Amino acid sequence: MKELTQSEENYIKAIYYLQKVMDKPVGTNDLANRMDTKASSVTDMVRRLSEKDLIIYEKYKGCELTITGQEAALKTIRKHRLWETFLVEKLNFGWEEVHEIAEQLEHIQSVKLTNKLDEFLDFPKFDPHGDPIPDQNGKLAQREESFKLIDLEVNVPAIIIGVSDSSASFLKYLDKHGIQLGVAVKVIDRFEFDHSTEVLINDKMLSLSAAASSKITVQVK
Amino acid sequence: MKELTQSEENYIKAIYYLQKVMDKPVGTNDLANRMDTKASSVTDMVRRLSEKDLIIYEKYKGCELTITGQEAALKTIRKHRLWETFLVEKLNFGWEEVHEIAEQLEHIQSVKLTNKLDEFLDFPKFDPHGDPIPDQNGKLAQREESFKLIDLEVNVPAIIIGVSDSSASFLKYLDKHGIQLGVAVKVIDRFEFDHSTEVLINDKMLSLSAAASSKITVQVK
DNA sequence: ATATGTATTTAGATTAATCTAATCATTTAT
DNA sequence: ATAAATGATTAGATTAATCTAAATACATAT
Ligand SMILES: [Mn+2]
Ligand SMILES: [Mn+2]
Ligand SMILES: [Mn+2]
Ligand SMILES: [Mn+2]
């Protein structure tokens, strides 16, 4: 299995992600959209990837990862999340700054480096956004059952364990309101008409939009 | 000043290096040789670099860096040497393993990352091979006067402060004989006919070839 | 089933980075 | 000063990754 180019690694990651969320073959436009390129470019690339047996692709039918492709995806994701952890834990970056840099660092090719970094960080199981970090064998830590904050029942104490949107704008918004991983939350009230939620966080009341609360993952204590 | 491609950064570094050691305009073949490519590829690339005002280039006359080009070179060298330091100091890599990985890491584009890394490492002045690390402004620490071990007078105590060859084979050879930066050396005898040198290192006598002793930099205590 | 619209692929170009083989320029040696 | 050797450039191809515009296939609604 030869090394992948940066572009190939990025595509493989995107396919991995889309496969997960839509649970059916990934269409050319979905990919083009996610990768922020044109459909014609995607068609070219999926040809190459399928040539290398990283995906199964049939004209007009979309694509999905082979086992080899999944392994490749997990390797890249492992690197990405380890680097994000490094940037936050060791270099004191904010969690909203690290994704972009990790997009580059994830392409560094050295298994030894990855494993030494892992060790240096004390084998973290989750990255700064609460996403699981694949281990050397590509295995992901299994989480206790978790919900989106928007689905958490009223008056049930819970803890914030992740976010499903790592965009700088969202994360900065959370920072402003003292919302971090590990913090306790309780839903005090919810309004049917717009699904906005009143929550208690850090002893302060806060009203969250449906958009926000649907992107925050919590776990009941 | 737009970002440079990896290839451009590598060429700029090579020109910087060659300019230093040969002290005259860098020829196409010198560069081709150093970059391990073909002269025709170099001609193409120096055209591009000169187009971007990173070098001055005239057909058949070789090239040299402009001020902008020198700044670019120093930025890349800074990243390279900081990463090498990180790999040795924090991740416990051997000094013979880090160059290759740093060749990749040096292309990560984030000034903030570079500066935070610098801080994390406590603003090191020299990398694991004894080469100076440019600071934020591209300034290199000036060394006390130093010599090559091959030029060190007999019976003058000195300290090893650098190597001018960072190839894995040479560094492994040094490791085998306990030769590291910071270690004390004294030349006991030197033989005219092949310039081999008898040295005392770590309380042990050792005979070094001219090839070896000409690549070790020392400083008189 | 036919038409319409959307998804996807093709055709044809472009740009960076590389190569080989051929040509041209400069330097050096006779 | 001329020839030979060395150094450098050009011409022409190739490959990855991208694009625009045109063509085609598939899905859906009437
Ligand atoms: Mn990320
Ligand atoms: Mn990436
Ligand atoms: Mn190096
Ligand atoms: Mn490099």
Side-chain angles (χ1 to χ4, degrees), chain B residues 13 80-81 84 98-100 102-103 127 129 131 166:
Chain B
K13 266 202 320 170
H80 182 103
R81 294 182 180 167
E84 284 190 344
V98 298
H99 180 77
E100 267 195 282
E103 267 314 309
D127 80 7
H129 312 111
D131 296 314
S166 294

Side-chain angles (χ1 to χ4, degrees), chain A residues 45-59:
Chain A
M45 181 56 95
V46 293
R47 285 248 167 71
R48 273 194 297 279
L49 295 175
S50 129
E51 201 51 52
K52 298 189 180 189
D53 289 314
L54 293 161
I55 63 176
I56 289 162
Y57 162 69
E58 274 181 289
K59 269 180 164 188

Side-chain angles (χ1 to χ4, degrees), chain A residues 6 9-10 13 76 80 100 102-107:
Chain A
Q6 297 200 180
E9 284 191 333
N10 287 334
K13 266 202 322 170
T76 307
H80 182 104
E100 267 194 281
E103 266 314 309
Q104 297 178 57
L105 285 164
E106 72 188 355
H107 303 296

Side-chain angles (χ1 to χ4, degrees), chain B residues 84-102:
Chain B
E84 284 190 344
T85 306
F86 168 74
L87 294 172
V88 168
E89 296 292 314
K90 301 292 185 178
L91 299 195
N92 295 113
F93 274 91
W95 66 346
E96 80 283 358
E97 308 174 273
V98 298
H99 180 77
E100 267 195 282
I101 301 175

Side-chain angles (χ1 to χ4, degrees), chain B residues 29 43 47 57 59:
Chain B
N29 274 340
T43 303
R47 285 248 167 69
Y57 162 70
K59 269 180 163 191

Side-chain angles (χ1 to χ4, degrees), chain A:
Chain A
M1 34 194 101
K2 271 203 43 256
E3 278 121 8
L4 305 186
T5 65
Q6 297 200 180
S7 195
E8 286 169 336
E9 284 191 333
N10 287 334
Y11 271 93
I12 290 290
K13 266 202 322 170
I15 296 167
Y16 182 90
Y17 172 80
L18 291 171
Q19 211 168 254
K20 223 100 288 185
V21 302
M22 28 182 264
D23 205 53
K24 58 175 168 163
V26 175
T28 303
N29 273 342
D30 302 320
L31 246 180
N33 190 49
R34 171 107 186 150
M35 295 292 299
D36 203 32
T37 56
K38 297 302 153 82
S40 55
S41 305
V42 171
T43 302
D44 280 352
M45 181 56 95
V46 293
R47 285 248 167 71
R48 273 194 297 279
L49 295 175
S50 129
E51 201 51 52
K52 298 189 180 189
D53 289 314
L54 293 161
I55 63 176
I56 289 162
Y57 162 69
E58 274 181 289
K59 269 180 164 188
Y60 294 106
K61 301 207 154 183
C63 64
E64 51 188 321
L65 295 174
T66 61
I67 300 294
T68 317
Q70 284 174 52
E71 286 167 0
L74 286 164
K75 270 182 203 163
T76 307
I77 291 168
R78 170 169 162 79
K79 288 184 281 177
H80 182 104
R81 293 181 181 167
L82 283 173
W83 281 116
E84 283 190 343
T85 305
F86 168 73
L87 294 172
V88 168
E89 296 292 316
K90 302 291 185 179
L91 299 195
N92 295 113
F93 274 91
W95 67 344
E96 79 283 358
E97 309 175 273
V98 297
H99 180 79
E100 267 194 281
I101 300 175
E103 266 314 309
Q104 297 178 57
L105 285 164
E106 72 188 355
H107 303 296
I108 304 293
Q109 311 222 289
S110 165
V111 175
K112 189 163 184 180
L113 170 58
T114 307
N115 292 336
K116 287 212 168 222
L117 182 63
D118 196 11
E119 186 185 357
F120 182 58
L121 298 171
D122 246 320
F123 305 102
K125 297 258 182 304
F126 301 93
D127 81 7
H129 312 111
D131 296 314
I133 301 173
D135 70 14
Q136 279 191 62
N137 308 306
K139 207 159 269 165
L140 295 161
Q142 219 27 67
R143 271 244 131 103
E144 315 279 297
E145 200 180 7
S146 65
F147 316 84
K148 293 302 169 191
L149 180 51
I150 200 173
D151 298 321
L152 180 64
E153 283 175 66
V154 170
N155 253 310
V156 176
I159 293 183
I160 296 174
I161 60 161
V163 290
S164 56
D165 173 0
S166 295
S167 68
S169 62
F170 181 56
L171 297 176
K172 269 189 215 157
Y173 167 84
L174 296 182
D175 277 344
K176 274 281 185 285
H177 297 297
I179 299 177
Q180 308 169 3
L181 299 198
V183 164
V185 267
K186 189 156 67 171
V187 174
I188 303 303
D189 202 0
R190 184 137 36 210
F191 301 103
E192 273 307 318
F193 88 103
D194 67 349
H195 296 92
S196 72
T197 305
E198 299 271 303
V199 299
L200 192 64
I201 291 185
N202 297 323
D203 293 323
K204 273 187 297 226
M205 287 298 297
L206 191 59
S207 175
L208 293 174
S209 66
S213 66
S214 64
K215 290 171 170 177
I216 296 170
T217 310
V218 300
Q219 204 172 276
V220 174
K221 295 202 236 202

